[in-house]
Amino acid sequence: MENILKELFHLKVLLLLIIVSGMGGTLQHGLNMSLISAPSAYIKCFINETWLERYGTAMEEQVIKVTWSVIVSIYPIGAVLGALIAGHLSVKYGRKNCLVFNNILAIVAAAIVGLSRMARSFEMILVARFLYGVNAGNGMNIHCMYLMECSPKKLRGVVTVTTAIFISLGKCLGQIIGLREILGSESVWPLLMAFNAIPAFIQLVTLPWFPESPRYLLIDKGNRALSINALQRLWGKRDFSQELEEMQAERTAIRGKRPRSVWELCRDPSVWSQLAINMMMSLFIQLSGINAIYSYAFEIFHAAGIPNETIPYVSIGTGLIETITLLICGFFVERAGRKSLLCGGLGFMSLWTALLTVTFSLQHLVSWMPYCSLVIIFAYVLSYGLGPGGVAIILPSEIFLQSDRPAGYVINGFLNWFGLFLIGMVFSFMIEGLGYLCFLIFCGVCFVLTILAYYIVLETKGKTPLEINEEFKNRKFWKKAPLRVSPNGTIPQSTVEIIMSTAF
């Protein structure tokens, strides 16, 4: 760990790039996740006031709820669009340029929502949330690709996991500035909703001074001189012969192919294992319950006897725990490996959700049981941060070759945002229909993911994308073993062994 820290701090330009790229990358998603909650009551009131001014009658309570739901849910819809266009734009214009110009969307959205109350238009909030979504969906995908392609092989894990850290930092920052003492009051809520413009502007004026991804320059563009120049600026002047050979070998392996589309990638059986892992790291991680746990935190804190006016301050602790554990994950991911952290984190998450169901069912019978629920919530967040929270954002960038990575991230982004949208729409109905038993569903998802991760996920620590791709090919995960049936109609034990060894 000490060597990793020394190496990282020695690469000062790369360290600055991590900070600058995060400002307009995944930090934006974290902000959008938390900033919307603090002014919710004020925005609902603004919607009703605007309607009354226009039509002379107050808006019905149910219509206000529906309008608010649309404002909240249009964000992941915009993010799906952003994720779908990220692959094409990152190939055509480069990773860095896409991140730079993506900030314009956030600044425009901030201007629209900042002027919404002055213009007496709640529809402007809707438009701004959609643009914020496009910005976040595009920025998250390209941010992950850009950092992975700019980092040395032995630091790839710790550098890439910073994209998850910036999501948590964004959540914490949004919770802090959303406090009543800062920007969470009724008089300044438009400024709170427009806060995204500040990190976007910082990245807009600073990121152009950094180089383009060296892997993109050599493998996609075939420009060896620019790639070497980018490596020298990022890593300092030293011998890059090994890194250049590895990139050239990958370029030779894909034989100068153009980046594949999503349809072409899905039709290729040789990458189905990678696609299965990609689906696990996007859709099913969202269905593990982490965002539902955050959504239900208010009720848990309330049940523990914490005053309502104090709950926002206590909620910040949840975000801080996730941030701290992701930092710890960043230091351990190159030592313990991706697979062990992923399986361990998911396994503990299944245990905590099972225990959470028990404590919820007993919290009205035992006076101190709500405090057990609080401890379990923090343990759940801790397990997520040390395992899936960091690893899920690293693996998609490592398991695909350069020609497949943009399409892989399009799939990853689409499923990730779809899962977030699905949980947001369905969770309230799950609570209404199943009560606390709904957490058993999350327990089952986490348990199944633990088993799948153990059998499907390959350890990628310290390996090049080409080496990882060759390992997947050698496993022949999707190749069917010949089925030999004995005369009595049974399958011989040797055939069963062949099938199992071929699959796993």
Side-chain angles (χ1 to χ4, degrees), residues 202-223:
I202 291 173
Q203 187 182 86
L204 181 65
V205 299
T206 55
L207 190 59
W209 299 97
F210 290 87
E212 180 56 90
S213 155
R215 297 181 64 83
Y216 172 79
L217 292 171
L218 179 57
I219 300 176
D220 286 301
K221 294 300 182 181
N223 196 323

Side-chain angles (χ1 to χ4, degrees), residues 314-421:
V314 179
S315 299
I316 294 173
T318 310
L320 288 174
I321 286 178
E322 184 180 339
T323 303
I324 292 169
T325 51
L326 281 168
L327 285 168
I328 297 172
C329 176
F331 296 129
F332 279 100
V333 74
E334 294 295 353
R335 189 168 186 171
R338 282 64 155 159
K339 185 172 182 176
S340 57
L341 289 178
L342 180 64
C343 293
L346 287 169
F348 275 110
M349 286 167 68
S350 63
L351 172 64
W352 301 133
T353 45
L355 291 177
L356 201 56
T357 307
V358 176
T359 58
F360 278 166
S361 63
L362 297 176
Q363 67 181 2
H364 297 299
L365 302 176
V366 183
S367 60
W368 46 264
M369 195 58 68
Y371 296 98
C372 292
S373 299
L374 281 177
V375 173
I376 292 173
I377 287 289
F378 286 130
Y380 178 90
V381 174
L382 180 72
S383 301
Y384 173 78
L386 286 175
V391 176
I393 212 160
I394 297 174
L395 278 179
S397 66
E398 295 182 325
I399 59 178
F400 292 108
L401 293 176
Q402 190 78 6
S403 58
D404 299 338
R405 192 172 297 120
Y409 262 104
V410 168
I411 298 170
N412 178 276
F414 174 80
L415 293 175
N416 181 71
W417 292 107
F418 176 74
L420 182 62
F421 175 78

Side-chain angles (χ1 to χ4, degrees), residues 179-356:
L179 294 174
R180 293 185 301 274
E181 294 82 356
I182 305 179
L183 292 178
S185 62
E186 186 175 5
S187 59
V188 293
W189 66 260
L191 295 179
L192 175 66
M193 295 292 291
F195 184 82
N196 300 66
I198 295 176
F201 179 77
I202 291 173
Q203 187 182 86
L204 181 65
V205 299
T206 55
L207 190 59
W209 299 97
F210 290 87
E212 180 56 90
S213 155
R215 297 181 64 83
Y216 172 79
L217 292 171
L218 179 57
I219 300 176
D220 286 301
K221 294 300 182 181
N223 196 323
R224 188 181 179 90
L226 282 180
S227 179
I228 293 174
N229 179 263
L231 288 171
Q232 289 176 341
R233 291 175 62 189
L234 287 169
W235 303 353
K237 293 186 177 181
R238 58 180 183 180
D239 184 17
F240 303 116
S241 57
Q242 183 180 352
E243 286 83 359
L244 291 169
E245 287 176 10
E246 291 170 352
M247 287 189 280
Q248 188 61 50
E250 186 173 340
R251 176 176 169 80
T252 303
I254 61 178
R255 298 180 181 87
K257 293 180 184 175
R258 62 173 179 82
R260 292 201 282 184
S261 66
V262 171
W263 177 244
E264 291 170 336
L265 191 66
C266 292
R267 291 182 62 190
D268 185 357
S270 67
V271 296
W272 282 356
S273 293
Q274 290 96 310
L275 291 174
I277 295 172
N278 203 26
M279 183 176 293
M280 285 175 54
M281 297 301 102
S282 51
L283 176 62
F284 293 117
I285 290 294
Q286 288 291 341
L287 301 182
S288 67
I290 182 63
N291 287 305
I293 291 288
Y294 273 114
S295 301
Y296 209 58
F298 181 88
E299 285 78 4
I300 297 170
F301 296 144
H302 181 75
I306 299 171
N308 289 351
E309 61 272 12
T310 310
I311 289 178
Y313 303 94
V314 179
S315 299
I316 294 173
T318 310
L320 288 174
I321 286 178
E322 184 180 339
T323 303
I324 292 169
T325 51
L326 281 168
L327 285 168
I328 297 172
C329 176
F331 296 129
F332 279 100
V333 74
E334 294 295 353
R335 189 168 186 171
R338 282 64 155 159
K339 185 172 182 176
S340 57
L341 289 178
L342 180 64
C343 293
L346 287 169
F348 275 110
M349 286 167 68
S350 63
L351 172 64
W352 301 133
T353 45
L355 291 177
L356 201 56

